[in-house]
Amino acid sequence: MKTKPNIYHEKQSRQLCALHTLNNLFQKSDTFTKALLDDLCLQLTPNSWINPHRSIFGLGNYDVNVVMAAVQLMDCEMVWWDKRRKITPHDVNSAVGLILNLPSPSKVGGLLFPFKTKHWLAIRQFDSVYYNLDSKLSSPETIGDVQQLIEHLTRHLDEDDCELFLVNSTKPCTLAVAEQM
């Protein structure tokens, strides 16, 4: 039986799931920091008293524009998946990783609110096996091979208000392939 690969996995803190998703996706603890994501918010909307790209309380809850800008800093791009299309192995095999943005219960401490917020999570492939790197999990969760991944993604995309993004390298193919080796 194959041993589980050594996978970097940050756990949820405050409303920083976007930060944890990015670090889990790129497999390094300090790839991104809260300060860097806050700076991206300011670059996206300078001179604004209330920044629309994060929580007004400064606890995180970053929007898609911040996540996309952060991904671009890593020579990658986020491509929104049109959920009306069927996912094929070709679609996901060439991606560096996947990001899901899905509805999540809103709670503070033990108090549950009647509305939902959005939660970011990363999915990556290691040794031909896909893993869910959700920061709300205690450790990475095995999804399985590409067919099991497609089933997993399809179940999520059938939910209301769930979005999928493919993260692709923008480097020339030969450089991107060489870096993965």
Side-chain angles (χ1 to χ4, degrees), residues 30-133:
D30 291 327
T31 302
F32 295 97
T33 62
K34 181 181 179 309
L36 176 59
L37 296 186
D38 286 340
D39 187 52
L40 289 173
C41 289
L42 295 175
Q43 289 177 39
L44 289 165
T45 308
N47 307 321
S48 175
W49 188 66
I50 296 177
N51 194 292
H53 303 291
R54 65 177 177 199
S55 162
I56 60 170
F57 303 113
L59 302 174
N61 200 21
Y62 301 103
D63 74 4
V64 67
N65 299 294
V66 176
V67 177
M68 290 178 98
V71 165
Q72 289 173 354
L73 294 174
M74 299 301 293
D75 293 321
C76 291
E77 65 180 353
M78 268 175 60
V79 179
W80 172 76
W81 182 260
D82 183 346
K83 60 171 93 179
R84 295 172 297 184
R85 291 180 50 207
K86 183 177 173 148
I87 304 169
T88 68
H90 175 74
D91 296 320
V92 295
N93 280 337
S94 60
V96 170
L98 308 161
I99 294 179
L100 277 174
N101 187 240
L102 33 88
S104 179
S106 182
K107 61 182 176 178
V108 175
L111 184 60
L112 187 63
F113 292 102
F115 55 89
K116 292 187 183 234
T117 58
K118 299 288 282 205
H119 178 67
W120 295 101
L121 67 91
I123 296 174
R124 279 270 320 239
Q125 181 183 22
F126 300 91
D127 300 330
S128 302
V129 177
Y130 287 90
Y131 290 87
N132 180 348
L133 306 178

Side-chain angles (χ1 to χ4, degrees), residues 8-27:
Y8 176 77
H9 180 251
E10 282 186 9
K11 294 184 184 76
Q12 186 71 24
S13 169
R14 296 180 297 217
Q15 295 178 321
L16 297 173
C17 58
L19 171 65
H20 305 310
T21 293
L22 291 162
N23 287 337
N24 289 342
L25 179 70
F26 293 106
Q27 288 294 287

